Amino acid sequence: MLKLKNLIAILLAAVLLLGVAGCGETKKNDPTESTPQSDKREPYKEEVFLTKDFIDTDGEFEFDTVDFKGPEGYVIVVPAGDSDAKKQAEKIKKYYSDASLKIVTDKTTETEKEILVGNTNRSESKNSFKENELRSALVGEKLVFTAGHYVTLGVAVDKYIRTAPKKGKASVFELATDFTATVPGGYTYVWGDEFEGSDVDFTKWSFGKHMSGTTKMEISYDKNVIDVNDGRLKLHGLRYYNPKRSETEFRVPYSVATQNKMHYLYGYVEIRCRLPFFQGVWPSFWAKSSDPNIKVEGDPNSFMAELDIFEVFGKKLVQPGIIKWYGDGKSSISADYININYWSFEDNEKIETEYHTYGCEWTPEHFAVSVDGEVYYTFDITKTYDGRENMSSFHEPIYLIFNNHLFPEDSHMSCPRIENNADLLPSCYYIDYIRLYQKDGVGSLYTDYTDDSALYADRK
């Protein structure tokens, strides 16, 4: 695994272009803030949910609360040399806000008052759990977090913190999740986010303007449009009134992207999520290459690659695609984009309240997309599709992007406008997890886990 900063050192900044999608041509439209004006309109109620009689309980889990004598006088014990367990121990220490709570390894002398994290050499934390299993338990006086994989260990700790046990109490539970460390085809888990924390993990994600606002629609990274809770990354498109911009009627989230955090070359990526599908919405899961050749002067064939794992254009179907963005500002859409290459749900009456898995296998030969494990379209990326004999950027590292956009009346897209369905807002795009898998010896992974949360200190 290589450090992402080593990759970025040789790459130029990716061009922030607005993607072309299946409704019509787009242009960059990023208006300046308008002069405040007097307006007596009441702010739109942001609490009105898409399906008013639907409550999303998918992220709930059962737990019990028991008496716990800690954390005063306790130590947190992790297996010697286990950096993943130590990371989870740091979370527990931060949660309890107890400066006296030390983290030690299991090479230290055993005591009665210990919080055990991971597969330590203490008898209380030894387990034969499968990779998808986890627990938080009180064994004697010891609080024990165990799991079958470092990912599910993190889930156990995050879920414990989510329950917010009060002083003198502990939350206990034992769960089997849907996590798997391997998937068919010889792929092994290398990176991901289960979204079990209390906020966006800024060691994995950054916010970006990969899609632009309009006069009527502003982009924001405030928590009413981007948040992590209930085990979900939640992206909302809202009706919204900004007293400083009287023209504003809608608010959508910034792009949530792995840019500068994680780039990869080849692999299988999968998310589980529920999506909005009514007319006027534009949720998406896509990727950009970081190929610096788009900046090469005098080379009309250099381009940035865009890979759309799916986009929703207000219909009850998802559509993938591949696009070239050339240095002269021109784009080239694969003919596959226009043909029948979408997934349509057979039973779509309740589709906006259902979770489904969306996957993408990217190899040196193809870009294949799937829904609930079924591959429904494959793009051949070995052959050019636009007459320019270059497909190189489809074989360069990419970063992943989530968006939950809208089509207001001043959008340059030709899709049906959100104004016609504004009473259905907010549009709710909830992501349960994202998991990236790769094969040994095929492709590469570049990461930089620097915490950039200070960049968003004004987030509210």
Side-chain angles (χ1 to χ4, degrees):
M1 185 181 297
L2 302 177
K3 283 287 186 179
L4 179 58
K5 61 185 178 182
N6 294 334
L7 172 68
I8 295 174
I10 63 172
L11 301 177
L12 299 176
V15 177
L16 300 183
L17 295 171
L18 184 62
V20 172
C23 293
E25 184 178 358
T26 65
K27 298 180 181 178
K28 185 176 181 181
N29 185 6
D30 195 6
T32 58
E33 184 172 298
S34 59
T35 303
Q37 300 178 21
S38 174
D39 195 322
K40 296 182 179 181
R41 290 179 298 170
E42 291 293 325
Y44 291 117
K45 293 182 179 180
E46 299 165 8
E47 295 79 15
V48 178
F49 283 90
L50 172 64
T51 308
K52 298 177 178 60
D53 59 351
F54 173 73
I55 299 175
D56 190 343
T57 60
D58 191 72
E60 294 183 358
F61 65 99
E62 294 184 0
F63 64 92
D64 292 321
T65 302
V66 297
D67 293 332
F68 173 49
K69 296 180 180 180
E72 293 85 355
Y74 275 65
V75 294
I76 304 176
V77 181
V78 300
D82 190 335
S83 59
D84 294 308
K86 186 176 181 182
K87 179 181 177 181
Q88 303 309 320
E90 294 286 358
K91 290 182 184 177
I92 296 170
K93 179 180 174 69
K94 182 179 179 180
Y95 172 74
Y96 280 121
S97 300
D98 188 342
S100 66
L101 189 58
K102 295 182 179 180
I103 299 173
V104 300
T105 74
D106 56 2
K107 291 184 177 181
T108 59
T109 302
E110 184 173 358
T111 67
E112 291 185 357
K113 294 185 176 183
E114 294 180 330
I115 299 174
L116 306 179
V117 182
N119 190 23
T120 73
N121 61 12
R122 310 304 199 235
S123 60
E124 294 87 351
S125 67
K126 288 185 176 297
N127 71 81
S128 57
F129 282 8
K130 297 178 181 178
E131 61 190 14
N132 67 317
E133 296 174 338
L134 58 93
R135 74 166 178 167
S136 163
L138 195 66
V139 183
E141 294 187 5
K142 295 183 180 182
L143 181 59
V144 182
F145 297 94
T146 49
H149 192 276
Y150 74 86
V151 169
T152 43
L153 178 63
V155 171
V157 171
D158 285 338
K159 282 184 177 293
Y160 180 86
I161 294 172
R162 274 176 55 194
T163 65
K166 297 180 180 179
K167 184 177 180 181
K169 299 290 183 179
S171 300
V172 296
F173 47 84
E174 188 166 328
L175 304 170
T177 71
D178 61 2
F179 175 79
T180 178
T182 58
V183 293
Y187 289 97
T188 301
Y189 180 90
V190 295
W191 181 92
D193 197 335
E194 301 296 302
F195 300 114
E196 291 287 350
S198 58
D199 199 357
V200 175
D201 184 344
F202 292 109
T203 68
K204 296 181 179 180
W205 303 97
S206 60
F207 297 146
K209 294 183 179 180
H210 298 291
M211 297 174 70
S212 300
T214 71
T215 298
K216 297 188 69 173
M217 179 180 69
E218 69 177 36
I219 57 175
S220 170
Y221 51 66
D222 282 349
K223 289 192 174 184
N224 59 2
V225 287
I226 304 175
D227 202 6
V228 171
N229 56 57
D230 302 323
R232 303 291 180 266
L233 170 62
K234 297 184 176 182
L235 306 179
H236 291 112
L238 307 173
R239 294 189 73 182
Y240 186 77
Y241 169 58
N242 185 341
K244 295 182 179 180
R245 291 184 61 203
S246 60
E247 301 94 338
T248 300
E249 295 187 30
F250 306 101
R251 171 180 270 196
V252 294
Y254 269 59
S255 302
V256 180
T258 66
Q259 187 177 18
N260 302 328
K261 298 297 179 181
M262 188 282 291
H263 295 217
Y264 75 100
L265 177 64
Y266 306 137
Y268 173 75
V269 66
E270 179 180 277
I271 68 171
R272 180 176 182 269
C273 68
R274 75 177 180 97
L275 295 163
F277 285 96
F278 55 92
Q279 288 190 344
V281 301
W282 187 12
S284 58
F285 177 38
W286 54 300
K288 285 183 177 181
S289 71
S290 301
D291 186 355
N293 292 330
I294 192 171
K295 292 288 189 179
V296 175
E297 295 183 6
D299 183 0
N301 293 320
S302 65
F303 68 95
M304 180 200 73
E306 176 180 331
L307 298 91
D308 298 320
I309 300 166
F310 69 74
E311 296 180 273
V312 174
F313 298 108
K315 299 179 181 179
K316 294 186 178 182
L317 51 86
V318 294
Q319 180 176 345
I322 58 175
I323 305 173
K324 295 180 179 181
W325 289 97
Y326 290 100
D328 56 9
K330 295 180 180 179
S331 64
S332 174
I333 306 174
S334 168
D336 303 71
Y337 221 126
I338 303 170
N339 296 333
I340 301 174
N341 63 342
Y342 54 80
W343 173 277
S344 180
F345 295 90
E346 292 182 3
D347 182 9
N348 58 28
E349 184 177 349
K350 297 181 179 179
I351 189 61
E352 284 156 339
T353 64
E354 295 176 348
Y355 282 84
H356 293 269
T357 58
Y358 301 86
C360 163
E361 183 187 40
W362 177 34
T363 74
E365 292 78 33
H366 67 249
F367 171 66
V369 289
S370 61
V371 175
D372 295 332
E374 182 178 342
V375 175
Y376 69 95
Y377 205 82
T378 301
F379 297 88
D380 183 347
I381 57 174
T382 65
K383 302 176 182 178
T384 187
Y385 60 80
D386 62 353
R388 301 195 195 187
E389 296 298 325
N390 186 5
M391 291 290 282
S392 61
S393 289
F394 289 104
H395 304 278
E396 297 287 341
I398 61 173
Y399 59 94
L400 299 169
I401 308 168
F402 290 120
N403 273 107
N404 193 18
H405 230 54
L406 300 173
F407 295 115
E409 288 178 348
D410 58 348
S411 169
H412 288 277
M413 298 289 285
S414 62
C415 292
R417 301 317 193 193
I418 189 59
E419 283 83 353
N420 298 328
N421 288 298
D423 58 330
L424 295 179
L425 291 174
S427 60
C428 302
Y429 181 3
Y430 292 177
I431 300 105
D432 177 18
Y433 65 73
I434 178 170
R435 297 168 186 162
L436 173 63
Y437 301 80
Q438 290 185 308
K439 293 181 180 180
D440 287 342
V442 180
S444 52
L445 178 69
Y446 307 86
T447 58
D448 185 342
Y449 293 111
T450 302
D451 187 345
D452 290 339
S453 56
L455 297 176
Y456 313 108
D458 61 337
R459 188 162 170 257
K460 54 187 185 295

